C-alpha cells in the first residue's frame, strides 16, 4: 500500500481553503468572480484562467471573465455549444483535459496563438443545468491530475453561485428600471375628469404588470391595464413591447376589439410563447360612454353616486397569445356624471388559499364614488394594508365630473 504524503495532503487542504475561503463571500459578486479566477490560477499553478457563460438564446458560450487571458473577454469570444474545447464541456456536462492545444482541439485561436500547451476545463452548473465553462491553461506541457479536476470543479461551483447572484441582481435592477420607464410618470390632463394611480412592485420577482392612459387625436381617452404571464426581466421586456404596440394600433382604429386582435397577431408572431391578460377601454370625448374589450382580464369596477360599486358586466375574451385569430367582444358601458371607474391587475385581488370572488367583493366594498386619490387610498388600505405585496399591483382610477354634463346643457 502506497503511503500518503502528509505534506501533499496539507498543501491540497490549503488549496481548497484558498478557493472556499469565507473572505470571498464578503466580496462583491463581480469582485468575487475575478478574485476566484486569480486564486484558481495560482492554486493550480496555471498561467491562464477564464470563465465563459452560456447565452441560452444563441446557444453560445461568451467569454466573461479572465485572469492571464483578458483578450478573450476584450475581443468578445463566442464558442458554440458542442464545438471546440469549451463547447464540448458544455455539451457533455463533464470535465475535459487537453495535453495538446491547437486548431484540432480548440476552436478559439487566441488560445493556441498565446502558446498554451495544456488545458483543463469543467462545467459551471447552477440549478442542475450548465450555465458556463471554467478553464485553466499552462504555457508549458503538463499532466493535469484528477485532483486538479476536483479543485477546478470546486472553483467552478463557487463561480456558478456568484454568476447566478450577479445575474439575479442585474435582472431585477433592469426590470425595475424598465417598469419605472414604462409606467406613466404623470397621468394626462383630461378635461372633465380626475385621474389617480398606484403601481406597487411585488416582493418576489417583479413581473409584467402595467397600466397606461393616453388620448387619441379625436379626443377619446384610452385606458389599458395588463399582466404578462411570468416574472423577471423576460416578462418586463414583453410588457414593454406590448404597451408600445398597443399604443401604435390605437392610433389606427378606435375599435378596442380590433386593437386587441392586432396586438394578439403581432405577439403570436414575434413572441410565440407569451401569454397576457389585457383590458383595453376607449372612453368617448364626452366621457359619457366607455367601450371595453377584455382579453382574459378582470372587468373594471364601477362606482356610481349613491350606489354600491359593482363589476362591469362585460364578456371576457381569450388571453393574448391563447389562440390565433380570435375577435374579442366589445361592451359599451354608460358612465353617468360623478361615476368612478376602477381598473386593476390581479395582484390587488388575488390571495393564496382563497377564491378570487372574495378579493373582488372586497374591492367593490372598498370603492365608492369619491375622488380618485381618496379611492386609491381606500382600496389600498382595505386590500393591502400592512401586508407584504406578493405580486405586482397596478391600480388606476378615473372619475367623470358632473360639470361636463352641465356645461354641455348650457
Amino acid at each position: 500500500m502506497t503511503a500518503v504524503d502528509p505534506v501533499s495532503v496539507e498543501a491540497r487542504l490549503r488549496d481548497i481553503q484558498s478557493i472556499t475561503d469565507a473572505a470571498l463571500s464578503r466580496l462583491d459578486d463581480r469582485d468575487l468572480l475575478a478574485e476566484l479566477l486569480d486564486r484558481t490560477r495560482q492554486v493550480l499553478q496555471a498561467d491562464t484562467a477564464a470563465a465563459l457563460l452560456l447565452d441560452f438564446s444563441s446557444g453560445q458560450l461568451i467569454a466573461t471573465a479572465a485572469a492571464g487571458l483578458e483578450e478573450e473577454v476584450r475581443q468578445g469570444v463566442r464558442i458554440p455549444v458542442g464545438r471546440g474545447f469549451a463547447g464540448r464541456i458544455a455539451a457533455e456536462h463533464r470535465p475535459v483535459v487537453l495535453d495538446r492545444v491547437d486548431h484540432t482541439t480548440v476552436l478559439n485561436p487566441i488560445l493556441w496563438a498565446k502558446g498554451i500547451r495544456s488545458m483543463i476545463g469543467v462545467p459551471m452548473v447552477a440549478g442542475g443545468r450548465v450555465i458556463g465553462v471554467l478553464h485553466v491553461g499552462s504555457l508549458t506541457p503538463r499532466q493535469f491530475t484528477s485532483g486538479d479536476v476536483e479543485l477546478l470543479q470546486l472553483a467552478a461551483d463557487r463561480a456558478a453561485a456568484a454568476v447566478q447572484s450577479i445575474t439575479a441582481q442585474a435582472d431585477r435592477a433592469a426590470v425595475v428600471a424598465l417598469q419605472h420607464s414604462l409606467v406613466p410618470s404623470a397621468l394626462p390632463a383630461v378635461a372633465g375628469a380626475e385621474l389617480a394611480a398606484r403601481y406597487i412592485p411585488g416582493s418576489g420577482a417583479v413581473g409584467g404588470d402595467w397600466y397606461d392612459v393616453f388620448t387619441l387625436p379625436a379626443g377619446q381617452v384610452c385606458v389599458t391595464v395588463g399582466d404578462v404571464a411570468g416574472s423577471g426581466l423576460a416578462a418586463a421586456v414583453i410588457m414593454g413591447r406590448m404597451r408600445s404596440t398597443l399604443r401604435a394600433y390605437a392610433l389606427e382604429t378606435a375599435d378596442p376589439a380590433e386593437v386587441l386582435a392586432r396586438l394578439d397577431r403581432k405577439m403570436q408572431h414575434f413572441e410565440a410563447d407569451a401569454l397576457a391578460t389585457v383590458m383595453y377601454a376607449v372612453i368617448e370625448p364626452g366621457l359619457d360612454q366607455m367601450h371595453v374589450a377584455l382579453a382574459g382580464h378582470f372587468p373594471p369596477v364601477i362606482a356610481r353616486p349613491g350606489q354600491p360599486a359593482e363589476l362591469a358586466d362585460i364578456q371576457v375574451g381569450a388571453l393574448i397569445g391563447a389562440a390565433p385569430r380570435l375577435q374579442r367582444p366589445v361592451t359599451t358601458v354608460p358612465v353617468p356624471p360623478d361615476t368612478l371607474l376602477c381598473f386593476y391587475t390581479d395582484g390587488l385581488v388575488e390571495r393564496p388559499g382563497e377564491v378570487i370572488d372574495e378579493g373582488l367583493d372586497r374591492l367593490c366594498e372598498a370603492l365608492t364614488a369619491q375622488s380618485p386619490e381618496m379611492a386609491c387610498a381606500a382600496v389600498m388600505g382595505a386590500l393591502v394594508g400592512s401586508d407584504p405585496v406578493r405580486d405586482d399591483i397596478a391600480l388606476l382610477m378615473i372619475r367623470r365630473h358632473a360639470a361636463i354634463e352641465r356645461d354641455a346643457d348650457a
Side-chain angles (χ1 to χ4, degrees):
M1 181 176 180
T2 304
V4 177
D5 182 356
V7 176
S8 176
V9 171
E10 184 179 348
R12 230 33 172 171
L13 288 174
R14 283 199 304 269
D15 291 345
I16 292 173
Q17 184 178 6
S18 173
I19 294 174
T20 60
D21 191 344
L24 285 173
S25 300
R26 293 192 288 271
L27 295 174
D28 172 84
D29 290 317
R30 295 184 184 277
D31 292 339
L32 185 150
L33 189 57
E35 180 67 18
L36 193 61
L37 285 177
D38 195 50
R39 289 193 188 192
T40 300
R41 181 175 60 162
Q42 294 176 26
V43 164
L44 291 172
Q45 298 179 343
D47 298 297
T48 66
L52 296 88
L53 301 184
L54 180 57
D55 176 18
F56 291 94
S57 60
S58 66
Q60 294 180 319
L61 293 161
I62 302 174
T64 304
L69 197 60
E70 288 77 9
E71 53 265 55
E72 262 208 339
V73 178
R74 292 166 184 162
Q75 296 180 29
V77 168
R78 288 175 170 257
I79 304 296
V81 171
R83 296 188 58 196
F85 170 63
R88 177 181 163 196
I89 295 168
E92 298 178 3
H93 296 201
R94 66 178 183 85
V96 172
V97 178
L98 291 181
D99 56 13
R100 186 181 79 256
V101 177
D102 58 28
H103 69 281
T104 65
T105 58
V106 172
L107 191 63
N108 179 12
I110 293 175
L111 298 177
W112 72 74
K114 194 173 185 69
I116 296 175
R117 306 293 296 277
S118 305
M119 295 187 70
I120 179 175
V122 297
M124 295 166 58
V125 180
R129 65 176 183 172
V130 173
I131 65 167
V133 168
L134 180 63
H135 67 66
V136 297
S138 172
L139 296 175
T140 57
R142 61 177 286 186
Q143 292 290 325
F144 286 106
T145 67
S146 59
D148 295 330
V149 172
E150 292 174 5
L151 277 172
L152 188 59
Q153 189 64 68
L154 184 65
D157 293 342
R158 289 297 304 277
V163 167
Q164 287 291 87
S165 178
I166 292 170
T167 302
Q169 291 177 22
D171 281 0
R172 184 169 182 85
V175 170
V176 171
L178 182 60
Q179 285 180 323
H180 282 303
S181 71
L182 292 174
V183 172
S185 56
L187 297 172
V190 176
E194 289 179 84
L195 290 78
R198 298 287 189 274
Y199 179 81
I200 310 297
S203 58
V206 285
D209 289 25
W210 89 92
Y211 70 89
D212 197 12
V213 189
F214 54 92
T215 57
L216 296 180
Q220 300 99 323
V221 179
C222 300
V223 180
T224 180
V225 178
D227 184 1
V228 176
S231 61
L233 184 59
V237 169
I238 291 173
M239 173 267 285
R241 292 171 182 162
M242 291 187 70
R243 176 184 180 274
S244 299
T245 299
L246 190 146
R247 277 191 166 207
Y249 289 141
L251 289 173
E252 297 179 357
T253 174
D255 180 359
E258 182 58 25
V259 169
L260 290 184
R262 295 184 186 188
L263 173 66
D264 199 7
R265 286 196 297 271
K266 184 266 184 187
M267 296 305 297
Q268 291 199 44
H269 181 75
F270 292 105
E271 311 280 354
D273 297 326
L275 285 173
T277 68
V278 179
M279 187 289 315
Y280 180 54
V282 177
I283 304 173
E284 292 292 343
L287 306 182
D288 58 339
Q289 287 190 114
M290 174 175 66
H291 311 289
V292 186
L294 301 175
H297 203 85
F298 294 114
V301 175
I302 300 179
R304 299 179 178 89
Q307 300 181 32
E310 61 181 1
L311 288 172
D313 185 12
I314 299 172
Q315 185 178 346
V316 181
L319 277 72
I320 299 297
R325 290 181 293 278
L326 288 178
Q327 196 77 5
R328 291 146 188 96
V330 176
T331 303
T332 299
V333 178
V335 184
D338 281 334
T339 292
L340 181 70
L341 306 173
C342 174
F343 310 93
Y344 53 95
T345 55
D346 59 4
L348 181 67
V349 294
E350 286 187 342
R351 294 294 179 270
E354 78 175 25
V355 296
I356 190 61
D357 288 348
E358 294 180 35
L360 293 171
D361 288 343
R362 280 198 301 272
L363 175 57
C364 291
E365 290 168 5
L367 197 67
T368 58
Q370 57 184 317
S371 77
E373 279 293 346
M374 292 182 64
C376 281
V379 166
M380 294 300 289
L383 275 75
V384 177
S386 59
D387 295 335
V389 176
R390 296 168 57 90
D391 193 9
D392 294 357
I393 294 174
L395 175 65
L396 175 67
M397 304 279 191
I398 300 180
R399 185 190 187 194
R400 178 192 171 191
H401 289 164
I404 192 169
E405 184 169 87
R406 289 195 297 269
D407 291 346
D409 292 337

